[in-house]
Structures are given as structure tokens and as C-alpha cells.
Amino acid sequence: METAYNAAQTARQTAKGLTSTQDAKNAALDLLLSQAANYVENTSSGDKAKAAVNTMTSGLKYWYRVAALGAAGWGAWVKR
């Protein structure tokens, strides 16, 4: 019984560590995406034609995360 308990505790600590690592990576990704969004916003000056993505390669899949900015502030990230 003690061996099983110790194994469960070890697995729990391992899972906590992995979750912490994933959370840190998500935070880093959010920061990079925010920086990229700010760059696009600043360089396009609101001109949608300048903000268009035109460097995609046919046949590859691309995923984007977007968030809306309204009177109430930033909305939640949406994964598409």
C-alpha cells in the first residue's frame, strides 16, 4: 500500500511540474503574440491591406489566435 501511495505522489509531482512548464510556455507564447499584434497594429496604422497575410505557402496548415479589442477592453483569445 505504501509503495502505491509513493508512486501516486511521485506521479502527482511530475504532473504538477509538467503543468507548470506548459503554463510558462503558454505565457511566453501569449507575450510573443501580443508583441506581434502590437507590431502589426503599429505598422499598418489601421490599414487592413497592410495587415493582410501574404506569405503563406500553399498546402500548409496555419493556426491563429486572435482577440478582439472593444470598449470593455481585450476579449478572450480565440483559437482558429
Side-chain angles (χ1 to χ4, degrees), residues 28-64:
L29 178 60
D30 284 346
L31 176 62
L32 289 172
L33 290 171
S34 293
Q35 290 171 340
N38 287 333
Y39 172 79
V40 170
E41 186 175 323
N42 291 332
T43 58
S44 69
S45 300
D47 184 347
K48 292 179 183 178
K50 289 181 181 177
V53 176
N54 58 8
T55 58
M56 295 180 147
T57 302
S58 179
L60 295 180
K61 292 182 180 180
Y62 295 88
W63 286 265
Y64 293 91

Side-chain angles (χ1 to χ4, degrees), residues 13-37:
Q13 289 303 316
T14 300
K16 280 185 175 184
L18 292 172
T19 299
S20 178
T21 300
Q22 183 176 2
D23 289 346
K25 289 180 179 183
N26 282 337
L29 178 60
D30 284 346
L31 176 62
L32 289 172
L33 290 171
S34 293
Q35 290 171 340

Side-chain angles (χ1 to χ4, degrees), residues 67-75:
L69 176 61
W74 284 99

